[in-house]
Amino acid sequence: MTKRNFDIVIVGAGAVGLTAALSFAQEGFRTALVGSLETRRDGRTVALFDGSVRFLEALGLWPTLEKHSAPLATMRLIDDTGSLFRPPPAEFHASEIDLDAFGWNIENATLLEELAAAARKQEGLTLIPGMAAGFEGVGDAAWIGLADGEVLNADLVVAADGRHSKLRQQAGIEAKTWSYPQSALTVILAHDRDHRDTSTEFHTRHGPFTLVPLPGRRSSLVWVTSTENAERLAGLDDAHLALEIERQAQSLLGAMRIDGPRGVVPMSGLSVSHYYAPRLALVGETAHVFPPIGAQGLNLGLRDVAALRDAIVDAREEGLSPGDDMALRQYQRGRDIDVRSRTTAVDSLNRTLLSELMPADFLRGAGLLAINGIGPLRRAVMREGVLPRIGAPRLMQRST
Ligand SMILES: Cc1cc2nc3c(=O)[nH]c(=O)nc-3n(C[C@H](O)[C@H](O)[C@H](O)COP(=O)(O)OP(=O)(O)OC[C@H]3O[C@@H](n4cnc5c(N)ncnc54)[C@H](O)[C@@H]3O)c2cc1C
């Protein structure tokens, strides 16, 4: 069988792999994407923050995605832990940091469908619907073995094959994994009252219960709770589940109706020692996983892609190939602090909710009071959560 040659082969056609494939093909690299483009509705949405939206805008994808998205103009936090140090509800408005919205919420399956539609039309991008079975990076080339026996040659392979990544294992990159005694129930809801572009997060003893707006009188729910409770909720019929959700939401959005399939996702985490091996770069959940708190996961995955794009474009300007060690080292330097700090922040918030120790309750309560009450701190925290940091990838910066 003849081998096909590419500059870059991406493995995994999730949101991160699809965006990577579109981005590298648009830069003129001969690109292939290995993976299935089929999607399935799972009651999940993703909130995309400012930097992600800028990146998708730069790739010409945002006008279509925006039509399916709802803006998050206000974020409301309600402490529902029953703690002695319970702060009053806090509201944060995007206008306070000169934004129209903190982010935009879109159904996961719709995002994937639109990215796949764009990929099918993208010049310079070859779609290979099979599964990758083997990887090896040696000298100045890498090869990918497909499940049907075909072999692809590439200068750089990008592993976007998710948390159980075979490529990461075959490259010998160590991953640390951990789990939480929680699962997230995910479902899309229709409701009687307008959400007013407001996302509401109730902090409960078992984790956050978060309602995020969708277009119209619809919202998505991520209910992080004990695994037994998530399974019990998932087993209820639509009417009883809607009633329990309305009760937990303190009837904020009026009567609820279940509008689509539901999912239960066990909470776990993963971090890696390295973001690259010879001729291989890790992006998205191949490199980092944490609980769906603060809507960070995919935003971080898109930052991986935008940072890798900068590194390989810079390498090309130096006359180097995309898989050159210099490009991969630049990529690693850019990702390390960003990924580590987000992983720690999400993990710490989750653990203070789970802990019933008074000092943890006090710190969380005092922290929210301070953030809510001190103007400059309040704005700094809002910016930190949603705006790209200094040194962010070029296509995510506000000046572009
Ligand atoms: C309940 C919930 C809510 C969330 N909300 C948000 C949010 O609001 N904002 C946010 O930013 N993030 C959010 N996240 C996180 C976000 O969903 C993930 O970070 C993101 O979907 C990960 O995408 P990915 O492409 O890296 O991985 P995946 O979606 O796992 O994609 C990996 C792909 O690789 C394929 N694959 C695996 N092995 C192979 C192989 N050998 N060959 C070919 N293909 C292969 C798989 O089939 C899959 O298609 C949420 C997560 C959860 C669970």
Side-chain angles (χ1 to χ4, degrees), residues 74-109:
T74 302
M75 286 195 200
R76 190 190 287 134
L77 290 185
I78 298 176
D79 189 315
D80 195 18
T81 56
S83 139
L84 275 178
F85 306 102
R86 191 164 49 165
E91 270 194 13
F92 302 89
H93 305 282
S95 54
E96 295 175 63
I97 51 169
D98 301 323
L99 293 177
D100 295 333
F102 289 114
W104 298 79
N105 193 37
I106 183 168
E107 282 188 51
N108 209 33

Coordinates of all heavy atoms in Angstrom, one line a residue, residues 74-109:
T74 N -24.6 38.2 32.2 CA -24.5 38.3 33.6 C -24.2 36.9 34.2 O -24.7 35.9 33.7 CB -25.8 38.8 34.2 OG1 -26.1 40.1 33.6 CG2 -25.8 39.0 35.7
M75 N -23.4 36.9 35.3 CA -23.1 35.6 36.0 C -23.6 35.8 37.4 O -23.1 36.8 38.1 CB -21.7 35.2 36.0 CG -21.2 34.7 34.6 SD -19.6 33.9 34.8 CE -19.0 34.0 33.2
R76 N -24.4 34.9 37.9 CA -24.9 35.0 39.3 C -24.4 33.8 40.1 O -24.5 32.7 39.6 CB -26.4 35.0 39.2 CG -27.1 35.4 40.5 CD -28.6 35.1 40.4 NE -29.4 36.0 39.5 CZ -30.3 35.6 38.6 NH1 -30.5 34.4 38.4 NH2 -30.9 36.5 37.9
L77 N -23.9 34.1 41.3 CA -23.4 33.0 42.2 C -24.2 33.0 43.4 O -24.4 34.0 44.1 CB -21.9 33.3 42.6 CG -20.8 33.1 41.5 CD1 -19.5 33.3 42.1 CD2 -20.9 31.8 40.8
I78 N -24.8 31.9 43.8 CA -25.6 31.7 45.0 C -25.0 30.6 45.8 O -24.9 29.5 45.4 CB -27.1 31.4 44.6 CG1 -27.6 32.6 43.7 CG2 -27.9 31.2 45.8 CD1 -29.0 32.3 43.2
D79 N -24.6 31.0 47.1 CA -24.1 30.0 48.0 C -25.3 29.2 48.6 O -26.1 29.8 49.4 CB -23.3 30.7 49.1 CG -22.5 29.6 49.9 OD1 -23.2 28.6 50.3 OD2 -21.3 29.8 50.2
D80 N -25.4 28.0 48.3 CA -26.5 27.1 48.7 C -26.0 26.0 49.6 O -26.5 24.9 49.6 CB -27.3 26.6 47.5 CG -28.7 26.1 47.9 OD1 -29.2 26.4 49.0 OD2 -29.2 25.3 47.0
T81 N -24.8 26.3 50.3 CA -24.2 25.2 51.0 C -24.7 25.0 52.4 O -24.5 24.1 53.1 CB -22.7 25.4 51.2 OG1 -22.5 26.7 51.8 CG2 -21.9 25.4 49.8
G82 N -25.5 26.1 52.9 CA -25.9 26.1 54.2 C -24.8 26.4 55.2 O -24.9 26.2 56.4
S83 N -23.7 26.9 54.7 CA -22.5 27.2 55.6 C -22.8 28.4 56.5 O -23.7 29.2 56.2 CB -21.4 27.5 54.7 OG -20.6 28.6 55.2
L84 N -22.2 28.4 57.6 CA -22.3 29.5 58.6 C -21.8 30.8 58.0 O -22.3 31.9 58.4 CB -21.4 29.2 59.8 CG -22.0 28.4 60.9 CD1 -21.0 28.2 62.0 CD2 -23.3 29.0 61.5
F85 N -20.9 30.7 57.1 CA -20.3 31.9 56.5 C -20.8 32.2 55.1 O -20.1 32.6 54.2 CB -18.7 31.8 56.4 CG -18.1 31.4 57.7 CD1 -17.7 30.1 57.9 CD2 -18.0 32.3 58.7 CE1 -17.2 29.7 59.2 CE2 -17.4 32.0 59.9 CZ -17.0 30.7 60.2
R86 N -22.1 32.0 54.9 CA -22.7 32.1 53.6 C -22.8 33.5 53.2 O -23.5 34.4 53.8 CB -24.1 31.5 53.6 CG -24.7 31.3 52.3 CD -25.9 30.4 52.4 NE -26.8 30.8 53.5 CZ -28.0 30.3 53.6 NH1 -28.5 29.5 52.7 NH2 -28.8 30.7 54.6
P87 N -22.1 33.9 52.1 CA -22.2 35.3 51.6 C -23.5 35.5 50.8 O -24.1 34.5 50.4 CB -21.0 35.4 50.6 CG -20.8 34.0 50.1 CD -21.2 33.1 51.2
P88 N -24.0 36.7 50.7 CA -25.2 37.0 49.9 C -24.9 36.7 48.4 O -23.8 36.6 48.0 CB -25.4 38.5 50.1 CG -24.2 39.0 50.5 CD -23.4 38.0 51.2
P89 N -26.0 36.4 47.6 CA -25.8 36.2 46.2 C -25.0 37.3 45.5 O -25.1 38.5 45.9 CB -27.2 36.1 45.6 CG -28.1 35.8 46.8 CD -27.4 36.4 48.0
A90 N -24.2 36.9 44.6 CA -23.3 37.9 43.9 C -23.7 37.9 42.4 O -23.9 36.8 41.8 CB -21.9 37.6 44.1
E91 N -23.7 39.1 41.8 CA -23.9 39.2 40.3 C -22.8 39.9 39.7 O -22.4 41.0 40.2 CB -25.3 39.9 40.0 CG -26.4 39.0 40.0 CD -27.7 39.6 39.4 OE1 -27.6 40.7 38.8 OE2 -28.7 39.0 39.6
F92 N -22.3 39.4 38.6 CA -21.2 40.0 37.8 C -21.7 40.3 36.4 O -22.3 39.4 35.8 CB -20.0 39.1 37.8 CG -19.5 38.7 39.1 CD1 -20.1 37.6 39.8 CD2 -18.6 39.5 39.8 CE1 -19.6 37.2 41.0 CE2 -18.1 39.1 41.0 CZ -18.6 38.0 41.7
H93 N -21.5 41.6 35.9 CA -22.0 41.9 34.6 C -20.8 42.1 33.7 O -19.9 42.8 34.0 CB -22.8 43.2 34.7 CG -23.9 43.1 35.7 ND1 -25.1 42.5 35.5 CD2 -24.0 43.5 37.0 CE1 -25.9 42.5 36.5 NE2 -25.2 43.1 37.5
A94 N -21.0 41.6 32.5 CA -19.9 41.7 31.5 C -19.6 43.2 31.2 O -18.4 43.5 30.9 CB -20.3 40.9 30.2
S95 N -20.6 44.0 31.2 CA -20.4 45.4 30.9 C -19.4 46.1 31.8 O -18.8 47.1 31.5 CB -21.8 46.2 31.0 OG -22.4 46.0 32.2
E96 N -19.3 45.5 33.1 CA -18.3 46.1 34.0 C -16.9 46.0 33.5 O -16.0 46.7 34.0 CB -18.4 45.4 35.4 CG -19.7 45.6 36.1 CD -19.7 44.7 37.4 OE1 -18.9 45.0 38.3 OE2 -20.5 43.8 37.4
I97 N -16.6 45.0 32.6 CA -15.2 44.9 32.1 C -15.3 45.2 30.6 O -14.5 44.7 29.8 CB -14.6 43.6 32.4 CG1 -15.5 42.4 32.1 CG2 -14.1 43.5 33.8 CD1 -14.7 41.0 32.1
D98 N -16.3 46.0 30.2 CA -16.4 46.5 28.8 C -16.6 45.4 27.8 O -16.1 45.5 26.6 CB -15.2 47.4 28.4 CG -15.0 48.6 29.3 OD1 -16.1 49.1 29.7 OD2 -13.9 48.9 29.6
L99 N -17.3 44.4 28.1 CA -17.6 43.3 27.2 C -19.1 43.2 27.0 O -19.9 43.6 27.9 CB -17.2 41.9 27.7 CG -15.7 41.6 27.9 CD1 -15.4 40.3 28.5 CD2 -15.0 41.7 26.5
D100 N -19.6 42.8 25.8 CA -21.0 42.6 25.7 C -21.4 41.3 26.4 O -22.6 41.2 26.9 CB -21.3 42.4 24.2 CG -21.1 43.6 23.4 OD1 -21.1 44.7 24.0 OD2 -20.7 43.5 22.2
A101 N -20.5 40.3 26.5 CA -20.9 39.1 27.1 C -19.6 38.4 27.6 O -18.5 38.6 27.1 CB -21.5 38.1 26.1
F102 N -19.7 37.7 28.8 CA -18.5 37.0 29.3 C -18.2 35.8 28.3 O -17.0 35.4 28.2 CB -18.8 36.3 30.6 CG -18.9 37.3 31.7 CD1 -20.1 37.5 32.4 CD2 -17.8 38.0 32.2 CE1 -20.2 38.4 33.4 CE2 -17.9 38.9 33.2 CZ -19.1 39.1 33.9
G103 N -19.2 35.3 27.7 CA -19.0 34.2 26.8 C -20.3 33.9 26.0 O -21.3 34.6 26.2
W104 N -20.2 32.8 25.2 CA -21.4 32.4 24.4 C -21.6 30.9 24.6 O -20.6 30.2 24.5 CB -21.1 32.7 23.0 CG -20.9 34.2 22.7 CD1 -19.8 35.0 23.0 CD2 -21.9 35.1 22.3 NE1 -20.0 36.3 22.7 CE2 -21.3 36.4 22.2 CE3 -23.2 35.0 21.8 CZ2 -22.0 37.6 21.8 CZ3 -23.9 36.1 21.4 CH2 -23.3 37.4 21.4
N105 N -22.8 30.5 24.8 CA -23.1 29.1 25.1 C -23.7 28.5 23.9 O -24.7 29.0 23.4 CB -24.0 29.0 26.3 CG -24.1 27.7 26.9 OD1 -23.1 26.9 27.0 ND2 -25.3 27.3 27.4
I106 N -23.2 27.3 23.6 CA -23.7 26.6 22.4 C -23.8 25.1 22.7 O -23.0 24.6 23.5 CB -22.7 26.9 21.2 CG1 -23.3 26.2 19.9 CG2 -21.3 26.4 21.5 CD1 -22.5 26.7 18.6
E107 N -24.7 24.4 22.1 CA -24.8 23.0 22.3 C -23.6 22.3 21.7 O -23.2 22.6 20.5 CB -26.1 22.4 21.6 CG -27.4 22.7 22.4 CD -28.6 22.0 21.9 OE1 -28.5 20.7 21.6 OE2 -29.6 22.6 21.7
N108 N -23.1 21.4 22.4 CA -21.8 20.7 22.0 C -22.0 20.0 20.6 O -21.2 20.1 19.8 CB -21.6 19.6 23.1 CG -20.2 19.3 23.2 OD1 -19.3 20.1 23.1 ND2 -19.9 18.0 23.5
A109 N -23.2 19.3 20.4 CA -23.4 18.6 19.2 C -23.5 19.6 18.0 O -23.0 19.3 16.9 CB -24.6 17.8 19.3

